[in-house]
Amino acid sequence: MSFLELTSRTLGPEHVAHAHDYHQLILATCGVTELVIGGCAERVTGSRGCLIPSTSHHEYVGDGRNRTLVLDIPLSSLASVRDSSGIERLFDKPRFFSVPTGLNELAGSLMRQLEQCPALHSEIAALLLRALYLHLEAEPHGGVDGLSLTHHAGERLDMPRLNAWIDRHLADDIRVEQLAALCALSTGHFHHCFRHLSGHTPQAYVQVRRLEHARSLVCHSALSLGHIASLVGFRDQGSFSRAYRRQFEVSPSGDRRVD
C-alpha cells in the first residue's frame, strides 16, 4: 500500500511558496510553522493543523525547531482509502483545524513509529488520516462539511486601533514589527494580512497617512512647511516636498497657495 506518503520533517526558516498536484495534511507535535493559504495566515502548532487541497498555492516558514508530520495524498489514491468520499470533502477548500490533545498524542506516537519503521509509512499514514477524519466528523459544529478557515486575512486587524496608533506616532520611526505586535501577529503574517485587507504594504500605508495628515496642516494651519515635515516624520523639507508631490501631484507650497 504505497499510495500515501507520510514523512516526519523539521521545517526550516527558509521561505517556501509553491503548489502541488496532491492533497496534503500538515500536523505538528511541537514547534511552529507560519503558513499562508487561501487568504488566511495562521500557525501550525501542536494544537493547530492544516489541510491543503491539490493545486492550492501556499507559503510557509518554519521555526527550525518543529517536528512536523506531512502526509501527501495523490488524487488517484483516494478511491482506495476507507471513507474516501468523506475524506475528499476534507479537502474541498483550504482549512485550518483544532488538534485536541488526544489527536496530538496519536500524531506523536505515529511519528515515533514512522521513525522506527519507515517501511510502514503508508499503513501509518492511513491510520493517521482515518483518525483525523473521525475527529473532524465528530465535531459538534458542522463536522466535515462545516469546517472553514478560522482567521480571514483581515479578521485580526483592528484598523481603527492601528490608525489611532499610527496617528499618535507620525513623527516617529514606525516599524512594521511594532504594528504587528499590536495585532498579536508575526511580522510576516501581519504584512500578508495587511496587504490583503488594505491593498497597501504597511510601509506604504503609513506614508499615505503621514501625507494626508500633512496636507491637512498645509491647507489649514500657518505652520511652516519644515515644521510640518518634522511633525509627520520626514527628515527634511526636501524629502517631504518630493513625497507630497508624488502623492498629490502638487507641491506643498502650491497646495497652500491654492487654498
Side-chain angles (χ1 to χ4, degrees), residues 25-93:
L25 163 66
I26 310 292
L27 282 175
T29 58
C30 65
V32 174
T33 295
E34 299 180 357
L35 194 149
V36 178
I37 185 171
C40 177
E42 280 208 41
R43 293 184 169 191
V44 174
T45 66
S47 60
R48 200 77 178 147
C50 186
L51 294 167
I52 303 174
S54 65
T55 72
S56 296
H57 179 81
H58 53 285
E59 305 175 38
Y60 65 86
V61 177
D63 63 0
R65 299 184 299 275
N66 58 85
R67 297 301 306 281
T68 304
L69 281 172
V70 180
L71 173 56
D72 298 336
I73 308 166
L75 303 186
S76 59
S77 301
L78 277 171
S80 304
V81 178
R82 185 178 178 184
D83 298 314
S84 59
S85 62
I87 289 173
E88 176 63 31
R89 292 199 304 275
L90 289 177
F91 293 95
D92 62 355
K93 57 186 173 182

Side-chain angles (χ1 to χ4, degrees), residues 151-184:
H151 294 305
H152 184 269
E155 186 174 323
R156 292 170 66 182
L157 299 187
D158 184 344
M159 291 305 296
R161 183 186 181 205
L162 284 171
N163 287 338
W165 191 92
I166 292 169
D167 290 349
R168 289 196 304 271
H169 295 83
L170 287 175
D172 304 328
D173 179 21
I174 298 175
R175 301 189 305 276
V176 176
E177 52 266 34
Q178 293 173 302
L179 301 177
L182 292 172
C183 301

Side-chain angles (χ1 to χ4, degrees), residues 166-171 205-248 250-257 259:
I166 292 169
D167 290 349
R168 289 196 304 271
H169 295 83
L170 287 175
Y205 184 87
V206 169
Q207 179 84 326
V208 169
R209 203 150 185 95
R210 291 186 197 277
L211 292 170
E212 288 177 343
H213 187 69
R215 192 174 206 183
S216 178
L217 293 175
V218 166
C219 296
H220 303 293
S221 81
L223 295 174
S224 71
L225 297 183
H227 190 185
I228 292 172
S230 66
L231 288 176
V232 297
F234 285 87
R235 295 188 304 273
D236 55 71
Q237 186 175 333
S239 59
F240 166 65
S241 295
R242 289 189 293 272
Y244 194 102
R245 182 184 289 276
R246 284 194 299 270
Q247 180 68 24
F248 302 119
V250 63
S251 67
S253 56
D255 231 3
R256 175 161 280 179
R257 284 198 299 270
D259 187 65

